[in-house]
Amino acid sequence: MDTSTVAPFWGPQTSYLNFCEEDYVVTRFVAEFINTFSSFVYMIYGIYGLRQLSQKQESGGFRSISYYGLFGVGVCSAGYHMTLKYHTQMSDELSMHLLTTPLLYRILTFQASPQRTKIVGVILLTLFTLVMAVHMFMDEFILHAVTFGLAVYLIATRTLKIILQQVSDPSIRRSLRNLTYFGFFCFAFGYFVWLIDVWACGILIKTRHVVGLPLAFLTELHGWWHVFTAIGGYVAVAVVDLVTTGKVHEDPIKDLAWPVGPAGRAIESITVTKKGD
């Protein structure tokens, strides 16, 4: 489709970031089709997590917040890629911190004194407000990206430390540790394909024109970033929830969504086999 003849439903782009997917190719109502609909993966994992809590009659309170945060990332990401507007871009990037900040709060205040819990809460709230204010009012992207990456790193490393300290059963400890590594790998691999999408955009666009639809959709690497970070985000929320609530007295993998459950089983079988060797 010649996008020059398409009248965008949402008007001209006002966001200062635009990814490699060509705009308004599929429909005039969605700027970046694959980037928009791949964002639904976050929502699916968020809904799945909330449904699991509801079935266990544990859906109230703080445990639900992170799953709502995961769902919110999907909504905001879809809104951004659908419209390419500045305010939807800001909501997308804000939602990423709204997901990581509660997770940081839970792991940094785990078994902490009331005084330390309050101090950590104030510090995280202050940092969150400062980062987002600088980001929105100064269009400063690097601070946003660095703080988000640092938050992911702290969540992973601190979670591994808590697992080692709190989980006595060696098989459950191994399963949770492997899940944490898997989630961190998904984030790292998602970032890798995000970089390729930026650096090799010209090659990717030419490839899409050659292979045509629907195969061209497979080369929309920012969409794959959404998929892999959604998996990583879901793993982070699920594992943090398990270790900070003490719900680790049984198999931690059995209730996890696809592909996390099968991946956890596969990693576990590999590690057990290597240990036996």
Side-chain angles (χ1 to χ4, degrees):
M1 181 185 294
D2 181 4
T3 57
S4 64
T5 64
V6 174
F9 177 80
W10 303 102
Q13 172 190 340
T14 57
S15 62
Y16 61 78
L17 287 178
N18 193 346
F19 298 95
C20 191
E21 183 174 1
E22 295 178 277
D23 301 341
Y24 296 102
V25 170
V26 176
T27 170
R28 65 182 290 260
F29 297 101
V30 179
E32 297 176 345
F33 186 83
I34 293 299
N35 289 348
T36 297
F37 284 92
S38 60
S39 300
F40 286 14
V41 179
Y42 298 103
M43 302 184 212
I44 292 171
Y45 281 125
I47 292 171
Y48 181 88
L50 290 170
R51 184 170 176 269
Q52 289 294 104
L53 290 180
S54 178
Q55 289 179 342
K56 297 175 182 177
Q57 298 181 340
E58 298 171 342
S59 56
F62 204 76
R63 295 186 65 185
S64 301
I65 292 177
S66 294
Y67 286 112
Y68 280 117
L70 195 59
F71 181 85
V73 169
V75 172
C76 294
S77 177
Y80 167 37
H81 291 290
M82 181 171 63
T83 63
L84 291 180
K85 294 296 184 179
Y86 179 77
H87 63 277
T88 55
Q89 178 188 340
M90 290 298 104
S91 70
D92 175 37
E93 292 163 357
L94 172 67
S95 70
M96 295 165 67
H97 293 278
L98 287 174
L99 172 62
T100 56
T101 303
L103 290 176
L104 277 174
Y105 177 79
R106 288 187 70 174
I107 61 173
L108 293 177
T109 60
F110 178 65
Q111 294 186 338
S113 64
Q115 182 180 7
R116 180 182 171 181
T117 299
K118 291 179 182 178
I119 292 173
V120 171
V122 170
I123 291 174
L124 287 177
L125 180 61
T126 302
L127 290 174
F128 170 81
T129 304
L130 178 63
V131 168
M132 294 316 301
V134 171
H135 177 54
M136 288 188 288
F137 293 113
M138 299 179 62
D139 293 342
E140 213 293 321
F141 181 77
I142 298 299
L143 180 63
H144 154 70
V146 169
T147 52
F148 177 74
L150 180 61
V152 171
Y153 173 77
L154 288 174
I155 290 168
T157 54
R158 179 63 181 170
T159 300
L160 286 169
K161 185 176 180 180
I162 293 175
I163 291 171
L164 183 62
Q165 293 175 341
Q166 299 298 321
V167 181
S168 57
D169 187 293
S171 62
I172 294 178
R173 184 170 61 241
R174 182 176 60 248
S175 294
L176 290 172
R177 185 180 62 240
N178 290 339
L179 284 174
T180 303
Y181 285 136
F182 175 68
F184 191 74
F185 168 80
C186 287
F187 267 108
F189 187 76
Y191 181 64
F192 174 71
V193 298
W194 184 88
L195 289 176
I196 296 176
D197 189 68
V198 173
W199 292 340
C201 183
I203 297 174
L204 290 171
I205 290 177
K206 289 179 182 178
T207 302
R208 291 166 197 156
H209 291 172
V210 171
V211 302
L213 297 175
L215 289 178
F217 286 153
L218 298 177
T219 67
E220 299 289 357
L221 299 189
H222 192 82
W224 286 108
W225 148 265
H226 288 161
V227 172
F228 283 105
T229 54
I231 295 172
Y234 168 69
V235 170
V237 172
V239 173
V240 168
D241 185 57
L242 285 171
V243 299
T244 57
T245 55
K247 305 291 184 179
V248 288
H249 302 299
E250 54 186 29
D251 183 3
I253 296 177
K254 67 175 184 177
D255 293 328
L256 297 180
W258 188 91
V260 180
R265 295 291 184 207
I267 297 171
E268 186 174 2
S269 65
I270 292 172
T271 55
V272 170
T273 302
K274 287 185 176 180
K275 186 177 180 180
D277 293 341

